[in-house]
Amino acid sequence: MLAIRLVSGPERPDSLALPIRPAGTAEGRDALVTLQAGLPAPDDVLAEAAALASAARATGRAGEVHVHLRPGRAPGRLLLAGVGAGDEAGWRAAGAALARAARDETHLTVGLPGDAPAEAVRGLVEGLLLASYRFRLTEAGERPALAGVDVLVTDPSRYADVLTAAEVTARMTHLARDLTNTPSSVKNPQWFAEQVESAAADQPDLHLRVRQPDELAAEGFGGILAVGGGSASGPRLVELDWRPAGARTHVVLVGKGITFDTGGISIKPVPAMKLMRKDMAGAAAVVAATLGAAALRLPVRVTTLAPLAENAVSGSAFRPGDVVSHYGGVTSETTNSDAEGRLVLADALAYAAAELRPDLLLDLATLTGANAVALGKHTGALYSDNDELAADLLAAIDAAGEAAWRMPLPADYVEHLGSEVADLYSAPNQGAGSVLAALYLREFTGDLRGRWLHIDMSAPSWADGDAAELSRGATGWGVRGLLRWLGTLA
């Protein structure tokens, strides 16, 4: 990750970035922009920056960057970064744009106005760190040269806590991206569990249990065993518990952890299978969020359950029409082995409701292609019967710079879950796919039905190219929103 420092008086920087904002509207082609008041730069540099902004017809919109060369002078490069309305989202967009505009520099100084709110620093730092992410298994390929950024403020101590929060959030998002981007030739359930063990090692008040296949069988986790039964790499159930002293609220997070999804006997076409290393993005997000809660010492208990399996094709793979017995005894008739994620989640939800008995229960999953059909590539689908709980989580997701939309749980769809040979039909053909998957999962929440949320985040878990703070590949979607939300529960 980039090294970020808060400083009050820099050395003469080679590259200096200054924020600009829209100042109003203008007739004709010239855009009206203004430099932020109270910027820590010499008067001649500020005057030149104002003139350059006007000459470049800058708009000041969030994420816009204009680069100007000043040969033989200091700074040698002047970057004018639009921050839009100057809110956290605007500064995050500016940070991301600066990370890309200055990628060939070794160091950058960003000047903030003397009255900059904490949200400006958080947005700027998150944007810088998230947009500079790159995933590589080898040293081949061009890497950005930018290694450090100084954020110039009048009182660095004022922003120390928010800097820590931004750095932890970015580091945990990077971890979720790394886990999701890793090819499935490396990544299987055991490997994933080992990564969690390594990340949680020596962390106070973090407790880890990893259930092996024989333990899953002994305790009745039939859904996880069925989905993982076709692979030579056996399934696992990771249980990671952040248990701070004095916590008054207990949240259980459940994340789908299919380390590769062939579709099983209901095999996927090749184009749909190519990126199925990302089918454990939900598990990566909830694990990273729990590690982040521990790193920030949030005073809320968080237990993460990551049911891990590889959905493979073999003579031991479960078949369409099989009946699976889940944790607690509820049975599912499975007519599509490519609807496997809900089977492993059902086990984990039933276990959480029966044994852990939390105050709140949330699951996150790359569950259906219907998510993208309904909401496009950037927005998760949120389901809950609790209006207040849904509104609080949506607000936290939005504040963190992610996007989700609440979807309905219509009562008349429930009849589609009826099976003639089992308690439930896991993947009905009628109705809306993402909605029916959510209704199915709700059946395993027991007494927590009114305190449960489900997010289908298949679409926003992956980016096809660099955009704002996202880099091509895994996005780590959910980590930022979950950490914001957990912080509100403290």
Side-chain angles (χ1 to χ4, degrees), residues 395-472:
I397 290 171
D398 180 67
E402 296 177 327
W405 189 264
R406 189 178 181 190
M407 300 285 281
L409 289 165
D412 56 343
Y413 276 19
V414 175
E415 66 184 48
H416 300 321
L417 298 175
S419 166
E420 295 181 359
V421 297
D423 296 312
L424 296 169
Y425 196 42
S426 67
N429 291 323
Q430 308 98 317
S434 183
V435 175
L436 281 164
L439 288 168
Y440 170 80
L441 292 177
R442 191 179 66 178
E443 296 297 314
F444 294 88
T445 60
D447 294 338
L448 291 166
R449 175 170 170 160
R451 291 171 285 149
W452 160 80
L453 303 107
H454 160 65
I455 303 180
D456 188 340
M457 39 77 79
S458 181
S461 68
W462 194 265
D464 294 328
D466 294 347
E469 71 270 23
L470 302 181
S471 299
R472 179 185 174 120

Side-chain angles (χ1 to χ4, degrees), residues 179-450:
L179 291 170
T180 307
N181 278 323
T182 298
S184 296
S185 54
V186 175
K187 176 173 57 188
N188 60 30
Q190 178 179 338
W191 178 91
F192 188 106
E194 289 170 351
Q195 305 312 299
V196 179
E197 182 178 12
S198 176
D202 303 321
Q203 297 292 322
D205 301 316
L206 265 179
H207 307 270
L208 175 66
R209 179 182 179 185
V210 179
R211 287 176 173 83
Q212 306 290 324
D214 56 342
E215 296 172 284
L216 294 173
E219 296 182 41
F221 290 93
I224 301 173
L225 289 167
V227 175
S231 173
S233 300
R236 301 287 190 275
L237 176 61
V238 166
E239 183 172 344
L240 179 65
D241 191 14
W242 159 240
R243 201 182 306 162
R248 294 192 298 269
T249 302
H250 181 199
V251 179
V252 169
L253 304 177
V254 179
K256 175 185 171 183
I258 303 300
T259 58
F260 191 78
D261 183 18
T262 66
I265 296 296
S266 308
I267 196 164
K268 293 178 182 288
V270 172
M273 201 188 301
K274 182 179 178 182
L275 289 179
M276 282 300 101
R277 67 180 183 274
K278 79 179 183 73
D279 214 16
M280 37 57 65
V286 295
V287 164
T290 304
L291 292 168
L296 294 170
R297 308 296 298 176
L298 296 182
V300 56
R301 183 181 174 189
V302 184
T303 305
T304 270
L305 299 173
L308 306 170
E310 184 175 81
N311 189 24
V313 184
S314 76
S316 59
F318 77 106
R319 296 159 292 261
D322 283 359
V323 172
V324 172
S325 180
H326 295 281
Y327 186 93
V330 173
T331 57
S332 292
E333 178 186 357
T334 67
T335 57
N336 179 0
S337 67
D338 195 22
E340 82 299 330
R342 65 198 70 185
L343 300 180
V344 302
L345 290 171
D347 274 2
L349 290 170
Y351 167 73
E355 308 299 336
L356 301 180
R357 301 184 180 276
D359 300 297
L360 301 171
L361 177 62
L362 183 150
D363 72 85
L364 199 62
T366 52
L367 206 58
T368 71
N371 169 207
V373 173
L375 297 173
K377 285 288 294 178
H378 304 296
T379 305
L382 184 147
Y383 298 86
S384 179
D385 288 314
N386 188 315
D387 293 343
E388 182 179 359
L389 194 56
D392 289 346
L393 182 54
L394 285 170
I397 290 171
D398 180 67
E402 296 177 327
W405 189 264
R406 189 178 181 190
M407 300 285 281
L409 289 165
D412 56 343
Y413 276 19
V414 175
E415 66 184 48
H416 300 321
L417 298 175
S419 166
E420 295 181 359
V421 297
D423 296 312
L424 296 169
Y425 196 42
S426 67
N429 291 323
Q430 308 98 317
S434 183
V435 175
L436 281 164
L439 288 168
Y440 170 80
L441 292 177
R442 191 179 66 178
E443 296 297 314
F444 294 88
T445 60
D447 294 338
L448 291 166
R449 175 170 170 160

Side-chain angles (χ1 to χ4, degrees), residues 83-167:
V83 297
D87 55 4
E88 184 177 342
W91 280 97
R92 186 182 297 113
L98 285 171
R100 294 199 169 93
R103 69 188 307 275
D104 295 328
E105 302 296 310
T106 57
H107 190 270
L108 175 68
T109 297
V110 184
L112 266 64
D115 61 350
E119 292 77 14
V121 174
R122 179 159 191 170
L124 173 69
V125 172
E126 286 187 2
L128 286 164
L129 294 175
L130 292 171
S132 61
Y133 170 86
R134 293 292 182 274
F135 179 77
R136 295 285 188 276
L137 285 179
T138 71
E139 294 301 315
E142 183 182 355
R143 291 177 177 271
L146 187 63
V149 177
D150 284 350
V151 179
L152 186 56
V153 293
T154 53
D155 181 8
S157 63
R158 176 186 168 195
Y159 303 105
D161 289 344
V162 77
L163 174 64
T164 297
E167 289 180 327

